[in-house]
Amino acid sequence: MNQRKFFVSLYTALGLSFALLLVLATPKDQRPDQQVDQVPVIKAEDLKARLQDKEKKFILLDTRSVEEHQSGYINGARFINFETFQLKEVEDIPKDQPIIVYCLSGGRSNRVGIQLLEAGYKNVHNLEGGMRHWKEKGYAVVYE
């Protein structure tokens, strides 16, 4: 009888372990009710190409502080202050409109991107490395 209890316990433990592995192996974007923790990134060279392609329509959001924005921004960017950002500031943007967010290095814009994705925006990307990476590449910056 003890041997039977042992095997029942063993098979139960194996079954639970297998179920846990399945959950952990499932990509986050396919798990139900999973909060977003990382916004897909776009490389600086890909953003530059998209800016040059007049056919591609997207919204570019600068999510830095006022001072950072005034020190230079990417042409065509719409400024939204990270420190005071509220979703109502972007309610004029259709939920299916592609949006690219950036800040200095990518952290703050990732947080804004998460808010956008959780609010139902379908196509949000974060500029990899942010404005710092953009400038390192030598790409154009607009100064006020």
Side-chain angles (χ1 to χ4, degrees):
M1 193 69 160
N2 280 341
Q3 190 175 16
R4 184 174 180 198
K5 286 183 181 179
F6 170 76
F7 282 110
V8 168
S9 298
L10 177 64
Y11 289 128
T12 302
L14 287 173
L16 291 173
S17 298
F18 182 72
L20 179 62
L21 284 174
L22 281 177
V23 169
L24 294 175
T26 303
K28 287 185 178 183
D29 62 346
Q30 294 178 10
R31 293 185 201 168
D33 302 318
Q34 181 72 31
Q35 283 193 334
V36 179
D37 62 359
Q38 189 70 28
V39 177
V41 296
I42 182 171
K43 294 185 178 296
E45 46 273 8
D46 294 332
L47 173 57
K48 182 177 186 233
R50 286 188 75 169
L51 287 168
Q52 294 171 340
D53 183 352
K54 301 300 179 199
E55 297 297 313
K56 293 207 176 188
K57 303 288 184 210
F58 64 96
I59 304 293
L60 181 61
L61 298 178
D62 181 343
T63 66
R64 299 174 299 156
S65 69
V66 172
E67 295 79 18
E68 288 172 311
H69 180 75
Q70 290 173 344
S71 71
Y73 56 91
I74 300 171
N75 192 31
R78 175 173 163 179
F79 176 68
I80 56 168
N81 188 342
F82 171 80
E83 296 167 1
T84 60
F85 175 69
Q86 295 181 16
L87 285 168
K88 67 181 180 182
E89 295 176 56
V90 294
E91 63 188 7
D92 62 307
I93 301 173
K95 301 274 183 171
D96 61 346
Q97 177 77 42
I99 299 173
I100 300 172
V101 293
Y102 74 90
C103 64
L104 182 62
S105 62
R108 291 173 288 176
S109 52
N110 184 66
R111 286 182 274 183
V112 169
I114 288 169
Q115 290 179 52
L116 294 171
L117 288 169
E118 289 178 345
Y121 289 87
K122 306 286 185 222
N123 189 350
V124 181
H125 287 81
N126 188 12
L127 177 60
E128 184 178 56
M131 190 63 156
R132 184 174 289 145
H133 191 90
W134 181 264
K135 286 181 176 180
E136 285 172 3
K137 293 276 191 183
Y139 297 152
V141 175
V142 176
Y143 296 96
E144 291 188 352

